[in-house]
């Protein structure tokens, strides 16, 4: 599998979301990462179902919806109806994670689970066979533009090993503080979906930023051994 780049619109100008999406799509964005925050699980409040619905009308790539909310079970159906292709939920808020993951899948949406920086990789051991992807947070969720937490690199390796151990080839996604300097390391560690917010939208040319991140990511994928 190659590496998918998922620009996070959190760092875009919300007055021009359509333009922001078009720009990153021109640069080769594979997904649009949508950060939903409720002011409870995380300190910030961002966007909700109506915005996802509008984005679905204009985006040509799938919407990757990251739910940083306290009670995701209440909202997964609404986000699915709004057009989320992928939805990830935090393990920290879900005592019945297995039920939630399967409820997301039953809606025809790819189901991801998210680990905060202080949540051990082993937390997902018993759900590893069921998930469509695992999102490793490389900052504490809540805001764009934070600094990458170095330990996240080995966390990606641990999650990859857990998924492999469960016989699940589902990709590992990474989110937080990713830029041109560290993207190679996280891809080499096994990340195959990479979220980037400020490294894309806090630049004069988001289209170019996506193109450069993607080139760096693809260059870092270890070569596959070709049998002779
Ligand atoms: C953080 C969000 C991220 C954020 C990434 O809580 O989940 O998706 O937008 O932004 P950067 O790439 O600036 O860290
Ligand atoms: Zn996110």
């Amino acid at each position: 599998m190659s590496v998918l780049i998922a620009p996070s619109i959190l760092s875009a100008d919300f007055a021009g979301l359509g333009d922001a999406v078009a720009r990153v799509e021109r640069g080769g964005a594979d997904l649009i990462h949508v950060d939903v925050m409720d002011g409870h699980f995380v300190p910030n409040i961002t966007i909700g179902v109506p915005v996802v619905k509008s984005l679905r009308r204009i985006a040509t790539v799938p919407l990757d919806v990251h739910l940083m909310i306290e009670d995701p079970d209440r909202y997964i159906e609404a986000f699915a109806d709004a057009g989320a292709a992928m939805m990830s939920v935090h393990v920290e808020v879900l005592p019945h994670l297995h039920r939630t993951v399967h409820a997301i899948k039953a809606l025809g949406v790819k189901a991801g689970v998210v680990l905060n920086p202080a949540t051990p990789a082993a937390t997902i051991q018993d759900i590893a066979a069921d998930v469509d992807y695992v999102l490793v947070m490389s900052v504490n969720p809540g805001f764009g533009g934070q600094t990458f937490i170095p330990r996240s690199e080995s966390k990606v390796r641990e999650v990859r090993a857990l998924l492999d151990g469960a016989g699940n080839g589902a990709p590992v996604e990474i989110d937080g503080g990713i830029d041109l300097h560290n993207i190679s390391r996280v891809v080499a560690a096994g990340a195959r979906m990479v979220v980037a917010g400020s490294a894309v939208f806090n630049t004069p040319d988001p289209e170019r930023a996506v193109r450069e991140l993607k080139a760096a990511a693809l260059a870092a994928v270890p070569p596959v051994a070709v049998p002779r």
Side-chain angles (χ1 to χ4, degrees):
M1 191 196 192
S2 126
V3 185
L4 305 183
I5 302 294
S8 162
I9 54 161
L10 184 60
S11 295
D13 176 2
F14 279 22
L17 277 186
D19 180 52
V21 168
R23 280 175 185 226
V24 295
E25 286 184 345
R26 281 200 298 275
D30 300 285
L31 306 166
I32 299 296
H33 186 83
V34 182
D35 287 306
V36 177
M37 304 187 188
D38 66 352
H40 291 276
F41 175 59
V42 291
N44 203 1
I45 299 177
T46 55
I47 60 186
V49 172
V51 177
V52 171
K53 203 169 175 181
S54 296
L55 287 170
R56 183 59 284 155
R57 279 207 333 268
I58 53 116
T60 62
V61 298
L63 300 180
D64 166 25
V65 176
H66 176 191
L67 296 180
M68 284 158 280
I69 62 180
E70 233 163 41
D71 194 358
D73 292 322
R74 281 176 62 191
Y75 300 99
I76 55 178
E77 196 170 344
F79 280 108
D81 289 346
M86 305 162 55
M87 219 183 286
S88 57
V89 291
H90 274 259
V91 305
E92 297 86 5
V93 296
L94 285 164
H96 311 294
L97 185 60
H98 183 274
R99 181 188 291 152
T100 305
V101 163
H102 285 278
I104 294 171
K105 288 178 148 187
L107 293 164
V109 175
K110 293 220 179 305
V113 295
V114 195
L115 296 167
N116 270 342
T119 306
T123 312
I124 59 150
Q125 175 119 36
D126 288 6
I127 197 77
D130 301 77
V131 295
D132 293 312
Y133 60 106
V134 176
L135 171 49
V136 173
M137 286 309 300
S138 38
V139 297
N140 289 292
F143 302 94
Q146 301 181 82
T147 305
F148 178 81
I149 297 171
R151 156 75 174 117
S152 316
E153 190 181 331
S154 54
K155 182 91 148 284
V156 168
R157 288 184 201 279
E158 290 171 16
V159 169
R160 180 70 266 152
L162 266 166
L163 288 167
D164 289 343
N168 189 351
V172 179
E173 182 173 34
I174 189 152
D175 181 7
I178 301 296
D179 58 22
L180 261 185
H181 301 288
N182 56 27
I183 194 166
S184 313
R185 288 199 340 249
V186 296
V187 169
R192 290 295 176 269
M193 296 194 290
V194 179
V195 179
S198 50
V200 169
F201 290 108
N202 291 355
T203 68
D205 188 347
E207 178 181 335
R208 179 176 170 182
V210 173
R211 200 170 290 124
E212 287 178 352
L213 284 168
K214 196 162 185 177
L218 293 176
V221 177
V224 181
V226 182
R228 302 173 185 232

